[in-house]
Amino acid sequence: MEYFLDTAVEKAKKQFRGAQAPIACIEAVRASVQKPYHHGIEKERQLFLSLWATGQPQAQQYAFFSERNVGKWTHPSGGRWDNVKPKPVRTAAVIGLGTMGRGIVTSLAKANIPVIALEQDAQQLETGKKAVNALLEREAEKLVKQGLTPAATLASVCFTLDFAELSAVDLVIEAVYENMKLKKEIFSKLSSVCKPDAFLCTNTSGLDIDEIASVTNHPDLVIGTHFFSPANIMRLLEVVRGHQTSLTTIATAMNLGKILGKVAVLVGNCPLFVGNRLLGPYLEQANYLLEDGCYPEDVDKVLEDFGFAMGPFRMMDLAGLDVGWRSRMEKGLTGNKVPPGTPARQRQGYRYSPLPDMLCEIGRYGQKAGKGWYQYEKPGGRFAQPDPWVKDFLQKYRETHQIRPRPVNPELILERCLYALINEGFRVLEDGIASGPEDIDVIYNNGYGFPKHRGGIMYHASTLGVAKVLDVLDTYYRENPDVPSMKPAFLLKKLAAVGGPPLKEWRTQVGSLVNKL
């Protein structure tokens, strides 16, 4: 019994990094085995009181209620979740059967919504069809184990190459790769093929919804539905409202999220929306830490010990380093579009780290290539090991650019990465892209592996105190004026100036700023 309980504690420590409640639950069971009843109950009471003193229960309660509140969306025009009726979605279509498209098709079928899945050529259609059928077979096996009939629970999926077959569907979700030209071609075609009242959704992770909508006959029916991969498992759905998106379209997309079992959060339209926008400064700081003397495993360990499901470098390897690389090439930050004579570590006068670009240039794309920031047992392998090659590569890079490594302790690593996230969160609020701090916290808790026992990014900022956050950011920015993402946000300064009000009062301060929702 002792061995069994000790093993359970070790497993819980790995699975719930930093969370104390799972450990306390096991200790309560241990007391029930070892002690008489009344002593066991007393031990349980002591465990309860010790947990309450950590602040983790309050953080988890906040995270719990925030998830329920984000569905109660409001709109400046007076439209609300409780006075705008969603349209029913009886049939749907998904365009693109890559990783994301397959997961979305599976999610719709699980919700008993018949789906038409469309691909551009026969080979991709066949590959996608096999992958979707494999996912649906797994879902069917789960249902059989629960004593349910798969045929009555899983909706039908049809596969096609013909856009004309989408003429009668209620809603279409486009899930092709991130290319504006391709997406506009598809939406222009959908506008001529689909029925006039069909909702047209794009699964873009950061492109302009208004630009996509501009090629359609009914831009009011266009909306962003940013799923997270794998879409049949991840709970988060960012619903992105364009300038002309109607209230009925918003209500229908939010309701679809609920039907699919997702936590849907309504956000405004800006480059990268909320989740990925915050990720930019966070990854930027992680790269700068490598330049300053750290190694990927050092940074990842600190953030995983804090409670993140995965550190930034393991996350980049999993997502694929080439995704960000392609985006940076399109923006002219790397590759042929960079003007000759541009310093390697500068872009438009600001600091820039070319490290991830350099890895991609030699094919180190991450997990799928078997090597990225870490090395793996094979391409597509899952076991990340520190790579001596990366250590050597970073040392040579610092020598080439005459960077003297600085001593960096775990506290500094945590501050640099977390405060970059927090600062961008305040910018998102002051820009009116998220309606309140809870929206940002729900997005990061459910889509980016932020530890729920810490409440969320903005909740964590409130527990640290806005004055402390401002002080750390201010000091860093004064020393590094070439890193604009660390310049303290106006809203952060405003909250500190009024004495750092509690989180529930932040919304009133946000309300006086521009609201793009």
Side-chain angles (χ1 to χ4, degrees):
M1 182 56 72
E2 278 302 299
Y3 172 76
F4 171 75
L5 291 166
D6 289 346
T7 305
V9 167
E10 287 311 306
K11 281 185 182 176
K13 280 179 181 174
K14 282 179 188 171
Q15 190 177 345
F16 307 99
R17 291 188 184 95
Q20 295 183 34
I23 313 298
C25 289
I26 297 163
E27 292 306 326
V29 172
R30 192 192 300 272
S32 76
V33 172
Q34 293 177 342
K35 300 174 185 291
Y37 177 78
H38 62 282
H39 289 166
I41 289 295
E42 177 55 28
K43 175 67 175 173
E44 198 168 298
R45 192 182 73 86
Q46 289 166 8
L47 288 165
F48 177 88
L49 293 172
S50 70
L51 284 175
W52 192 253
T54 66
Q56 290 190 9
Q58 297 88 329
Q60 287 187 244
Q61 286 159 20
Y62 162 84
F64 177 88
F65 287 110
S66 293
E67 281 187 19
R68 276 138 189 81
N69 291 335
V70 290
K72 297 174 181 176
W73 58 273
T74 58
H75 188 277
S77 67
R80 290 162 45 96
W81 65 280
D82 55 355
N83 67 13
V84 182
K85 201 173 177 185
K87 289 267 187 82
V89 177
R90 297 187 181 91
T91 52
V94 175
I95 299 174
L97 285 174
T99 308
M100 193 62 86
R102 296 165 192 174
I104 297 169
V105 169
T106 307
S107 293
L108 289 162
K110 276 169 67 179
N112 215 2
I113 298 171
V115 197
I116 299 171
L118 183 141
E119 252 300 351
Q120 309 264 28
D121 69 67
Q123 190 181 341
Q124 285 175 312
L125 185 74
E126 192 54 37
T127 305
K129 184 177 181 177
K130 283 178 184 169
V132 168
N133 285 337
L135 287 170
L136 290 172
E137 276 169 29
R138 272 184 238 159
E139 292 301 331
E141 284 168 16
K142 288 182 201 169
L143 291 168
V144 168
K145 283 178 185 173
Q146 291 167 25
L148 300 168
T149 310
T153 313
L154 293 172
S156 63
V157 180
C158 301
F159 298 89
T160 185
L161 295 167
D162 187 5
F163 268 87
E165 291 192 33
L166 311 188
S167 60
V169 298
D170 297 324
L171 179 142
V172 181
I173 300 172
E174 163 275 308
V176 302
Y177 68 91
E178 289 291 271
N179 180 283
M180 181 58 86
K181 188 184 173 193
L182 176 61
K183 286 182 188 285
K184 284 168 83 170
E185 281 172 13
I186 288 169
F187 272 76
S188 178
K189 202 164 189 175
L190 288 172
S191 206
S192 61
V193 168
C194 295
K195 59 185 184 179
D197 61 346
F199 297 102
L200 306 181
C201 311
T202 173
N203 178 54
T204 177
S205 57
L207 296 178
D208 187 351
I209 302 298
D210 293 327
E211 190 177 339
I212 294 169
S214 69
V215 299
T216 68
N217 299 329
H218 298 283
D220 57 308
L221 297 175
V222 176
I223 196 162
T225 48
H226 178 206
F227 288 81
F228 286 70
S229 188
N232 53 312
I233 294 169
M234 293 291 279
R235 293 180 68 222
L236 181 64
L237 177 66
E238 265 186 326
V239 176
V240 190
R241 173 190 174 270
H243 183 63
Q244 296 183 64
T245 307
S246 73
L247 294 174
T248 303
T249 305
I250 293 170
T252 304
M254 292 293 283
N255 190 53
L256 177 67
K258 194 174 178 182
I259 291 166
L260 298 182
K262 307 292 182 193
V263 180
V265 185
L266 181 65
V267 301
N269 181 29
C270 73
L272 303 176
F273 315 137
V274 172
N276 286 344
R277 176 173 161 176
L278 266 68
L279 208 55
Y282 171 72
L283 297 180
E284 186 181 78
Q285 282 301 318
N287 288 328
Y288 295 164
L289 283 162
L290 297 193
E291 293 186 339
D292 293 344
C294 294
Y295 294 99
E297 58 271 23
D298 302 333
V299 179
D300 283 352
K301 184 181 186 308
V302 169
L303 287 149
E304 286 167 14
D305 286 349
F306 174 79
F308 271 92
M310 205 175 277
F313 294 103
R314 281 189 61 218
M315 183 188 73
M316 283 189 264
D317 270 5
L318 177 65
L321 291 166
D322 53 320
V323 178
W325 186 45
R326 279 200 302 269
S327 170
R328 290 189 297 277
M329 280 197 282
E330 274 188 33
K331 290 175 186 170
L333 293 171
T334 188
N336 302 331
K337 292 181 185 175
V338 178
T342 302
R345 297 178 59 229
Q346 250 189 28
R347 295 294 182 271
Q348 285 120 28
Y350 296 120
R351 185 175 175 182
Y352 179 81
S353 175
L355 288 171
D357 302 334
M358 293 167 79
L359 291 191
C360 289
E361 282 160 13
I362 54 170
R364 293 185 71 105
Y365 297 146
Q367 216 167 295
K368 59 186 170 191
K371 53 191 177 181
W373 291 114
Y374 291 91
Q375 60 182 351
Y376 299 84
E377 72 277 17
K378 60 180 181 181
R382 298 177 64 182
F383 300 103
Q385 291 293 330
D387 192 341
W389 182 91
V390 171
K391 202 162 196 172
D392 186 53
F393 161 72
L394 289 171
Q395 284 168 352
K396 285 175 181 169
Y397 173 87
R398 292 179 201 125
E399 285 166 17
T400 302
H401 295 285
Q402 299 175 335
I403 303 167
R404 185 181 293 174
R406 304 181 216 167
V408 182
N409 59 39
E411 189 185 357
L412 193 66
I413 292 172
L414 193 60
E415 276 187 355
R416 293 254 305 261
C417 293
L418 273 189
Y419 287 27
L421 271 176
I422 290 166
N423 197 42
E424 196 62 31
F426 280 115
R427 284 212 180 91
V428 161
L429 289 175
E430 69 186 49
D431 287 350
I433 299 301
S435 64
E438 303 87 349
D439 298 32
I440 296 171
D441 288 340
V442 169
I443 287 169
Y444 258 76
N445 289 347
N446 289 285
Y448 294 86
F450 193 87
K452 270 191 187 177
H453 64 270
R454 296 191 185 272
I457 293 164
M458 307 315 285
Y459 181 90
H460 186 63
S462 74
T463 61
L464 290 168
V466 289
K468 183 190 174 184
V469 175
L470 175 60
D471 185 51
V472 171
L473 285 167
D474 211 28
T475 304
Y476 178 87
Y477 183 64
R478 278 202 305 272
E479 292 169 3
N480 302 272
D482 57 346
V483 184
S485 61
M486 295 295 266
K487 182 182 181 181
F490 172 73
L491 178 60
L492 171 60
K493 292 196 275 191
K494 186 179 178 184
L495 289 169
V498 295
L503 186 98
K504 62 185 177 184
E505 291 173 25
W506 288 8
R507 214 180 265 261
T508 57
Q509 298 293 334
V510 172
S512 60
L513 298 165
V514 177
N515 192 317
K516 289 181 186 165
L517 275 170

